[in-house]
Amino acid sequence: MANSRLKALHDAGVSIWLDDLSRDMINSGTLADRISESSVVGVTTNPTIFAKALATGDAYAAQLAELSGSSADEVVRALTTRDVASACDAFAPLAQATSGYDGRVSIEVDPGLAHDTEGTVNQAKLLHKLVAKDNVLIKIPATKEGLPAITETIAAGISVNVTLIFSLDRYREVINAYLDGLEKAQASGIDLSTLHSVASFFVSRVDSEVDKRLEAIGSPEALALRGRTAIANAQLAYALFEETIAGSRWEALARAGANRQRPLWASTGVKNPDYPDTMYVSELVGDGVVNTMPGATMDAWADHGELTGTPLGGPAVAAEATKVMEAVAAVGIDMDDVVQQLEDEGVEKFVDSWRELLATVKNQLES
């Protein structure tokens, strides 16, 4: 039976995705249980998740033996695409029932390609071919070089999860990159109804960095703003989403069958123990959004989550969020610097995890 709190969240318009995947999770039935009992309708992965999965247990031993003699890169690609393909199969009935709206599974391009447009497009096409499932999403980071890669990948008829978005300006560029891709796809005769995308707007990392700077300032005004920036930033992102889908450019694409690029709240695990452990869920409920949660956050919501926040959308929410961001700027926080630092760190963390993943595979191949 589905957990009532998670079902209520789903019924409020939030697509609940699990930010985790491993072969043990698939083989043990844990993923199937999440689908049936936790209202989970999608999965996201990244190099950190796969590094953790491969470092524990022996679920990959048989396939590793089959791949003896292959390079570490080839092995990682084979292991991860098999997991993603298996997860896609688990979600296939849901994807079919919702015409691809839900039932999605994401796999990320090599983060070392974050500043390589052509390399990103080529690997996106390769991953799409290797997974070979209609409900896969290829994750592309929202770096400057990633923007044209998003356009070209969508134009090639491949659905995309845009990741590592921190700023409203970059989110606006991501939206435009998606629309550009749809228009190119339409011009080449691709059925737009087959293309889907989410824009992954990171949440808790924003508070972690801004709070640190607010505490360094130390004034009463600064300290009173702790824990408020990330939610306000996301609320304004949702306002931008609403603005876009009300525009004439989008309406023309929608008439041709295009699907909305939905906002996805990523990094929703609360890092500050002083904050409620479900705050990045309860405060970010809105029609058509995705919230991808670590297992601990999902379990916390299942235990005590409440729909107490003001739903996203409308001028009043955006106006209040604007006041928060203005107050943050007024005490001396440079948000442009914050979001650039977070993007740089995000890419670096994924590159480090990718290297860890390769090292783990090399060790297992040699053992």
Side-chain angles (χ1 to χ4, degrees), residues 8-343:
L9 182 64
H10 176 271
D11 292 345
V14 178
S15 289
I16 302 168
W17 292 9
L18 178 65
D19 192 28
D20 197 10
L21 186 65
S22 69
R23 194 157 299 178
D24 275 336
M25 183 181 296
I26 296 167
N27 293 343
S28 67
T30 300
L31 179 60
D33 290 344
R34 287 288 193 184
I35 294 170
S36 62
E37 299 172 10
S38 301
S39 300
V40 169
V41 297
V43 159
T44 51
T45 67
N46 59 47
T48 304
I49 287 170
F50 281 128
K52 178 182 176 183
L54 266 71
T56 58
D58 58 359
Y60 299 92
Q63 192 181 3
L64 281 166
E66 294 171 3
L67 295 166
S68 177
S70 301
S71 71
D73 282 290
E74 291 169 335
V75 171
V76 166
R77 194 170 295 123
L79 297 177
T80 57
T81 54
R82 180 181 290 188
D83 279 1
V84 169
S86 296
C88 282
D89 287 341
F91 283 106
L94 180 60
Q96 184 172 7
T98 61
S99 300
Y101 181 86
D102 278 323
R104 315 298 306 199
V105 184
S106 298
I107 184 170
E108 187 161 350
V109 298
D110 178 346
L113 299 171
H115 302 294
D116 179 350
T117 301
E118 183 179 359
T120 294
V121 174
N122 289 339
Q123 191 169 103
K125 292 177 179 178
L126 175 61
L127 291 173
H128 184 259
K129 179 180 179 179
L130 291 174
V131 175
K133 304 292 180 181
D134 291 339
N135 52 330
V136 69
L137 290 173
I138 307 302
K139 288 180 80 172
I140 297 175
T143 57
K144 277 292 187 182
E145 297 83 1
L147 295 170
I150 294 161
T151 296
E152 293 307 314
T153 303
I154 291 291
I158 298 171
S159 297
V160 172
N161 176 345
V162 184
T163 189
L164 285 179
I165 308 173
F166 296 96
S167 77
L168 295 172
D169 288 342
R170 184 55 54 83
Y171 180 36
R172 186 176 287 105
E173 292 176 317
V174 165
I175 292 171
N176 286 329
Y178 178 57
L179 298 181
D180 288 344
L182 288 175
E183 288 165 350
K184 293 184 74 169
Q186 183 181 26
S188 62
I190 292 173
D191 179 1
L192 298 189
S193 69
T194 65
L195 288 167
H196 291 264
S197 183
V198 292
S200 298
F201 209 86
F202 279 51
V203 186
S204 67
R205 295 189 196 182
V206 173
D207 270 343
S208 294
E209 181 58 33
V210 172
D211 283 2
K212 182 171 64 176
R213 299 186 185 203
L214 290 170
E215 288 165 2
I217 294 168
S219 67
E221 294 82 6
L223 297 177
L225 290 166
R226 287 177 296 182
R228 301 182 63 189
T229 308
I231 290 171
N233 200 38
Q235 288 169 331
L236 291 175
Y238 190 81
L240 183 55
F241 162 70
E242 287 187 309
E243 176 187 319
T244 300
I245 61 175
S248 58
R249 186 183 183 194
W250 166 250
E251 289 173 354
L253 288 164
R255 286 193 295 270
N259 296 293
R260 298 180 299 173
Q261 182 186 55
R262 294 189 288 160
L264 179 152
W265 312 131
S267 182
T268 55
V270 176
K271 295 176 174 59
N272 188 332
D274 293 334
Y275 299 157
D277 57 3
T278 58
M279 66 182 282
Y280 298 126
V281 181
S282 62
E283 300 298 325
L284 296 175
V285 175
D287 181 49
V289 304
V290 179
N291 194 309
T292 181
M293 308 179 201
T297 301
M298 190 175 293
D299 293 341
W301 183 271
D303 180 68
H304 52 265
E306 298 287 350
L307 294 169
T308 55
T310 302
L312 295 166
V317 172
E320 186 59 33
T322 298
K323 289 180 182 178
V324 172
M325 299 306 288
E326 288 174 345
V328 169
V331 298
I333 301 297
D334 181 350
M335 283 302 296
D336 288 339
D337 183 69
V338 168
V339 297
Q340 187 59 58
Q341 177 177 323
L342 290 173
E343 180 183 304

